[in-house]
Amino acid sequence: MNHTLPAAVLRRSSPGAVAADTPGTAPRFSKGSALAVLVCWLLVVFDGYDLIVYGTVQSSLISEAGWGLTKATAGTIGSMAFLGMMIGAVFAGRMADSWGRRRTILGCAVIFSIFTILCAFAPNAAVFGALRLLAGIGLGGLVPSANALVAELVPAKWRSTVATLMMSGVPIGGSLAALVGIQMIPAFGWESMFLVAVLALVIVVPLGLKCLPETLAPVGGPDKAATVKEPSGFSSLLRAPYLGVSVLFAVATIATLFAWYGLGTWLPNLMQLAGYNLGSALTFALALNLGAVAGSVITAWAGTRFGPIPTAIAAAAVAAGALVVLVIGPPVGVVYFMLVLAGVGTHGTQCLIIAAVASHYPDHLRGTALGWALGTGRIGAVVAPQVGGLLLAAGLGVNSNFLAFAGAAAIAAVLLAAVGLKLKSKLSISPSPTGASNV
């Protein structure tokens, strides 16, 4: 790509690009844009697989790798990918607004694929943790960049729905990790799980090179005057009229990702500690992720019907309630159902937060706002594996993890209620000609 067009105008010459629209009009959802959205979704699926795969191999690493891992150190390694995601989400969102969505998306995909593959050859825990950190930078950068691009490829009325459905790729990837793990870990060892990432590198990334358009004008280009009038960057998010909502979105994301990724990292191990074998434990993880897939569809409909913030509040409350039920030790059928509800609620809440951010910030701040929410939110994802491991190491048992994750989901519901009130108040983000609006 030698040049780009303003944010409201997509390149006609890009393979798979949609037809150009004049500034100020909604993009047409053409065959080319649909193909670009599909490629972004496939990359999010691999993002989800590469992230959740650690949870499927964690018990194998503790018992078979010979690295001397304990529950606490396994939790630390689990946090490394999330630390990388925090770095990647913050900077890639900003880069997507400055350098372009396409190159940022593809660069992140290459990074997480290469370093995930290298995890299969790690000689010790330190190298493995470092590789997970580096892979996490790409994993964290992909989602805000892909969502920023997709938001510009679809009409505004479908933006919330498509953003929510896009995030179904994460639990679908997690479900694939559980399904693949049931077969591959006993047959080929834990290392084989990380080699699956080669498929993204050799199949989906080349598709992205062909199909993804660029949508952002470069600094100094024909849109320079508009760029000067509407500065992007984190400083814009952290001052009026965006400050209050930006902080609330970030803290709500911290709580939500604490619950979602805490479960994703520890659930198979928790179920083994509760007396189930590895195959059954991975089946419970599959139930969680399938619930998250269902949650993406359900919340996409409900978010469009009732608004992303009210739906997110309900989803977070459902997750908190389901996790509390697990503490009482219900029958196995109820356990499966509660894990499905936990998946619906935790991941659904995060999808809806992304949809709300994508819908309620103007075009020139969208990638930065998504990167801010997801980047700072990764604090919860970084802390959750550590907290889970420390609670187990302290002898507090499996239920201590479920209660911690339930508490985080409940906190998210309260924070999102505050977001709703903020957006409806006189201090909420005012409507913008670039597409931002109130709830």
Side-chain angles (χ1 to χ4, degrees):
M1 297 292 175
N2 297 322
H3 62 280
T4 57
L5 295 179
V9 185
L10 299 176
R11 292 188 53 187
R12 294 181 185 270
S13 59
S14 301
V18 301
D21 295 289
T22 57
T25 64
R28 288 176 285 169
F29 197 46
S30 68
K31 180 180 178 181
S33 62
L35 185 59
V37 170
L38 176 62
V39 171
C40 286
W41 180 82
L42 288 173
L43 288 172
V44 174
V45 170
F46 277 99
D47 186 291
Y49 177 94
D50 290 359
L51 180 61
I52 301 299
V53 68
Y54 177 73
T56 68
V57 304
Q58 186 184 64
S59 60
S60 299
L61 291 175
I62 293 173
S63 61
E64 300 172 14
W67 294 345
L69 292 179
T70 65
K71 293 180 177 64
T73 55
T76 300
I77 290 178
S79 295
M80 297 304 290
F82 299 121
L83 178 60
M85 291 181 76
M86 180 170 64
I87 298 169
V90 170
F91 288 102
R94 182 68 182 94
M95 286 161 49
D97 281 343
S98 300
W99 298 351
R101 322 296 197 203
R102 180 179 183 271
R103 68 180 68 177
T104 305
I105 291 168
L106 295 176
C108 288
V110 170
I111 289 171
F112 77 66
S113 297
I114 289 175
F115 287 110
T116 297
I117 293 166
L118 291 176
C119 285
F121 306 99
N124 54 54
V127 172
F128 183 88
L131 290 171
R132 289 293 289 169
L133 172 67
L134 294 170
I137 293 174
L139 293 169
L142 176 75
V143 171
S145 305
N147 274 284
L149 175 61
V150 168
E152 293 175 4
L153 296 178
V154 301
K157 67 178 181 178
W158 294 110
R159 192 170 287 160
S160 176
T161 300
V162 173
T164 305
L165 291 175
M166 269 282 294
M167 291 307 296
S168 70
V170 174
I172 287 175
S175 300
L176 291 174
L179 285 171
V180 170
I182 291 172
Q183 301 297 323
M184 290 188 66
I185 294 176
F188 304 106
W190 64 266
E191 296 90 345
S192 63
M193 295 293 291
F194 294 94
L195 297 178
V196 175
V198 74
L199 296 176
L201 198 59
V202 302
I203 297 176
V204 188
V205 170
L207 282 175
L209 285 169
K210 181 179 180 180
C211 300
L212 295 184
E214 188 56 270
T215 61
L216 189 67
V219 176
D223 215 23
K224 182 177 180 181
T227 303
V228 172
K229 292 179 181 178
E230 296 184 296
S232 61
F234 296 113
S235 60
S236 298
L237 296 179
L238 299 179
R239 61 172 180 246
Y242 304 106
L243 174 60
V245 170
S246 296
V247 171
L248 287 170
F249 271 133
V251 181
T253 307
I254 290 172
T256 302
L257 293 186
F258 181 94
W260 167 238
Y261 286 122
L263 282 170
T265 300
W266 278 108
L267 183 61
N269 198 274
L270 291 174
M271 301 317 287
Q272 282 186 279
L273 291 174
Y276 298 93
N277 60 34
L278 176 61
S280 297
L282 290 176
T283 305
F284 284 118
L286 179 61
L288 176 72
N289 283 283
L290 289 177
V293 174
S296 298
V297 177
I298 293 168
T299 55
W301 170 82
T304 302
R305 175 69 176 81
F306 304 106
I309 296 301
T311 308
I313 296 168
V318 166
L323 291 170
V324 169
V325 171
L326 292 178
V327 174
I328 66 176
V332 65
V334 176
V335 172
Y336 276 113
F337 183 59
M338 290 301 109
L339 287 173
V340 168
L341 289 180
V344 170
T346 54
H347 185 69
T349 301
Q350 186 53 48
C351 291
L352 290 159
I353 291 174
I354 291 172
V357 172
S359 298
H360 299 297
Y361 284 87
D363 292 344
H364 70 285
L365 281 177
R366 186 173 294 115
T368 304
L370 286 164
W372 160 259
L374 287 168
T376 55
R378 299 300 173 187
I379 294 171
V382 171
V383 172
Q386 292 266 29
V387 170
L390 291 173
L391 289 172
L392 292 175
L396 297 178
V398 171
N399 286 342
S400 64
N401 273 243
F402 291 137
L403 286 174
F405 303 144
I411 291 170
V414 173
L415 291 168
L416 288 167
V419 170
L421 292 173
K422 186 74 175 175
L423 289 173
K424 290 177 181 177
S425 73
K426 296 297 183 179
L427 299 177
S428 64
I429 302 172
S430 59
S432 155
T434 57
S437 64
N438 296 333
V439 168

